[in-house]
Amino acid sequence: MQIRRLRIKRFRGIKELLWCPGPGLNCLTGPGDAGKSTILEAISTVLSPAPGRVASEYDYFQGAVAEGFSIEALVGKLDDELLSAWPVTPLYTWMASEQKVQADPDPDGESVLCIRAQGTEDLEIEHVVVDPSEGTAPLSPSKRQLFGLSTMGPATVAFRELRMSRGSLLERNVDREQLRGLITEAMQATRDGFQPPEDVEKRLQALSKAREAIAPGTGDLNLAMLSPRGQNLLGMLGLFSTAGDATVPLFNAGLGTQQLTLFTLASSLIVGTPLFVVDELENGLEPFRQRDLIARIRTAIGSGGQAFL
């Protein structure tokens, strides 16, 4: 897959941007706060397979939430799996020589999908596919996962991608259904084995008696482990690195280790033509490792994929 055109409107510090990236490596350079990371985040947002992503007021240009934001990507070099995701795939035609898109088919052009992420007044991010004849239709996380996006970069990316959150690199490498029963049993065992201090136990007993007086038959009060609101139990699983007696969560490891682990997970998923988004590739990596990682990314994307650094 390759992005033929990217259009950003009112996203973070970008009021409007229209860019036609090339195939292969696209390297954004410039001083701090010039908008490089914003462009990379825009690509990650429109192609992200993560469900239920929400925006913050800072994602809207100058904080104007009521005016919304829009990130639109024309994606070409489509593989058969993606094309078969729709009964009739809503395709536009990309005319590369003129760098324009049209609704009508043309043998001299390339068939592309137009996908869009738009921020609403309710701070929600809606993903849609634009149909040349019928407006827009929702674009589900399962369909977005077919675009094969892999992201690498700051610690916030590692925290998301190295845990069993929906659509993460780890979740796409490991079958979550095989772990669902095990994590439920482990949580139950933790609850059964959790023993509060004696003073806390006495306080809970007193509270239980007080509640029984006004709500008979509702049982005793106890403390137990709970998964965070909005997350299932599997979201509590994450990758650790063990060397000797040391065990460290990978999202707390060094930046270089995080980058190389993310690449390992991403490259293992490659089928067809992948899309890579890498922010601040140099973080935590010595110059020779930077060169090696870029060479590996070139090999991974081949002639059909695309990377944004």
Side-chain angles (χ1 to χ4, degrees):
M1 244 108 19
Q2 293 182 3
I3 295 176
R4 299 307 186 203
R5 189 182 74 183
L6 181 70
R7 186 190 296 274
I8 303 173
K9 290 184 177 181
R10 308 192 64 80
F11 181 63
R12 297 189 179 175
I14 297 176
K15 184 176 182 181
E16 187 163 1
L17 172 72
L18 183 65
W19 179 34
C20 298
L25 287 180
N26 291 266
C27 188
L28 305 174
T29 62
D33 294 325
K36 304 184 300 297
S37 293
T38 299
I39 295 173
L40 297 181
E41 183 62 26
I43 296 171
S44 297
T45 297
V46 73
L47 294 171
S48 171
R53 291 188 66 175
V54 296
S56 78
E57 60 181 295
Y58 303 108
D59 289 327
Y60 298 76
F61 183 71
Q62 295 182 345
V65 174
E67 297 185 28
F69 68 76
S70 173
I71 305 164
E72 187 177 278
L74 295 179
V75 183
K77 224 170 182 62
L78 305 170
D79 59 31
D80 292 338
E81 184 180 12
L82 187 57
L83 290 171
S84 64
W86 287 269
V88 179
T89 311
L91 296 173
Y92 284 84
T93 302
W94 172 249
M95 308 301 293
S97 59
E98 305 170 56
Q99 291 196 332
K100 72 174 187 178
V101 64
Q102 62 187 42
D104 299 326
D106 191 314
D108 295 328
E110 176 189 12
S111 296
V112 295
L113 276 171
C114 180
I115 60 175
R116 183 186 301 155
Q118 48 202 28
T120 71
E121 293 187 50
D122 298 321
L123 300 181
E124 296 176 341
I125 300 179
E126 296 178 344
H127 288 83
V128 298
V129 60
V130 183
D131 191 308
S133 58
E134 301 179 5
T136 63
L139 187 62
S140 67
S142 60
K143 282 190 174 71
R144 299 200 303 271
Q145 188 163 314
L146 297 176
F147 289 95
L149 173 73
S150 298
T151 55
M152 301 165 55
T156 52
V157 171
F159 181 77
R160 181 177 68 245
E161 298 292 346
L162 297 177
R163 293 168 59 243
M164 285 291 290
S165 51
R166 177 68 71 175
S168 70
L169 288 176
L170 176 59
E171 192 260 354
R172 288 154 62 188
N173 269 279
V174 179
D175 184 2
R176 61 189 290 120
E177 296 307 319
Q178 294 184 0
L179 298 172
R180 192 181 299 279
L182 291 175
I183 189 65
T184 303
E185 292 177 9
M187 181 61 76
Q188 186 60 53
T190 300
R191 289 172 180 161
D192 294 343
F194 184 77
Q195 186 63 45
E198 184 177 350
D199 289 346
V200 174
E201 187 67 41
K202 289 180 179 178
R203 180 59 179 161
L204 290 173
Q205 291 173 2
L207 291 170
S208 296
K209 290 180 180 179
R211 190 179 70 159
E212 179 70 18
I214 60 175
T218 53
D220 295 331
L221 294 172
N222 295 291
L223 292 177
M225 302 291 289
L226 298 171
S227 58
R229 184 180 178 91
Q231 294 185 15
N232 60 29
L233 293 178
L234 284 172
M236 301 175 68
L237 289 176
L239 279 182
F240 283 70
S241 183
T242 302
D245 296 330
T247 302
V248 178
L250 270 170
F251 53 75
N252 283 341
L255 292 175
T257 299
Q258 291 180 13
Q259 292 277 60
L260 298 176
T261 304
L262 288 168
F263 178 76
T264 301
L265 293 177
S267 58
S268 71
L269 295 170
I270 292 175
V271 177
T273 55
L275 283 164
F276 277 89
V277 172
V278 189
D279 196 6
E280 299 184 6
L281 175 140
E282 70 277 7
N283 271 357
L285 295 177
E286 304 91 338
F288 81 93
R289 289 191 185 276
Q290 295 173 27
R291 293 191 294 271
D292 179 67
L293 184 55
I294 290 175
R296 291 178 185 275
I297 291 173
R298 285 186 187 275
T299 300
I301 62 177
S303 60
Q306 199 174 31
F308 298 88
L309 313 183

